[in-house]
Amino acid sequence: MNIQEQIKKYISTQPEPKRNDMQELHKFILQVLPGSKLWFLDGKNSENKIVSNPNIGYGVYTIKYADGTTREFYQIGLSANTTGISVYILGIKDKTYLAKTFGKKLGKAKVTGYCIGFKALKDIDTDILEAAIRYGVETSLKN
């Protein structure tokens, strides 16, 4: 099964209305980041144990570890969870920036270091979400 099929299957397993919101967000992020690399992480570790919620990823970001090693990962992530949906924006050094800059403007969203969480797509301003995504991508390219 290729990545697009895995993503389609993952989204299809979500209950409504979350399924529709996930489909809309997937299309939305693809429009914001056309041609970006797609990722799908099933949430399982090397021993096939569930360690996180499955994630859809977009773009490429190089994580730099303290020991000098690096690893390629996605820049933007999308995941469903029990309370709603999370959008992850990786690569922003200032962990307060998202909350300070976009938090109040987003609508009914909880914003932490690199995560924007919300119950439903209708609860947030997608123009502000797009600005946050674009900022994250631009910032990660500079780092």
Side-chain angles (χ1 to χ4, degrees):
M1 189 178 322
N2 71 30
I3 290 173
Q4 273 116 341
E5 290 168 340
Q6 289 175 305
I7 291 169
K8 189 175 181 179
K9 183 178 177 190
Y10 168 59
I11 291 173
S12 74
T13 65
Q14 301 305 312
E16 283 297 355
K18 193 183 296 183
R19 179 183 322 139
N20 187 57
D21 285 355
M22 291 286 290
Q23 286 171 328
E24 290 299 312
L25 280 164
H26 178 61
K27 282 192 261 180
F28 173 77
I29 296 170
L30 289 173
Q31 287 173 349
V32 174
L33 306 172
S36 64
K37 179 178 178 176
L38 277 178
W39 302 66
F40 182 75
L41 294 119
D42 63 7
K44 296 177 183 172
N45 68 9
S46 58
E47 286 121 38
N48 212 29
K49 292 185 178 158
I50 296 173
V51 294
S52 71
N53 289 323
N55 281 266
I56 302 168
Y58 308 86
V60 178
Y61 166 64
T62 302
I63 298 173
K64 297 173 184 120
Y65 294 102
D67 67 1
T69 60
T70 60
R71 177 172 85 131
E72 221 177 56
F73 205 60
Y74 56 73
Q75 291 174 301
I76 307 299
L78 175 62
S79 181
N81 53 58
T82 54
T83 59
I85 298 169
S86 294
V87 174
Y88 304 97
I89 303 176
L90 305 181
I92 301 172
K93 293 235 188 274
D94 179 353
K95 297 301 175 206
T96 64
Y97 187 84
L98 278 180
K100 286 190 302 194
T101 307
F102 303 105
K104 287 184 171 55
K105 299 178 206 166
L106 266 164
K108 293 182 191 172
K110 180 181 178 190
V111 184
T112 58
Y114 60 90
C115 179
I116 298 170
F118 47 93
K119 187 168 174 58
L121 188 55
K122 67 178 173 46
D123 295 335
I124 63 162
D125 184 327
T126 54
D127 289 339
I128 303 300
L129 179 62
E130 179 178 348
I133 290 171
R134 289 190 186 282
Y135 174 81
V137 171
E138 290 165 14
T139 301
S140 70
L141 293 174
K142 293 176 191 171
N143 294 331

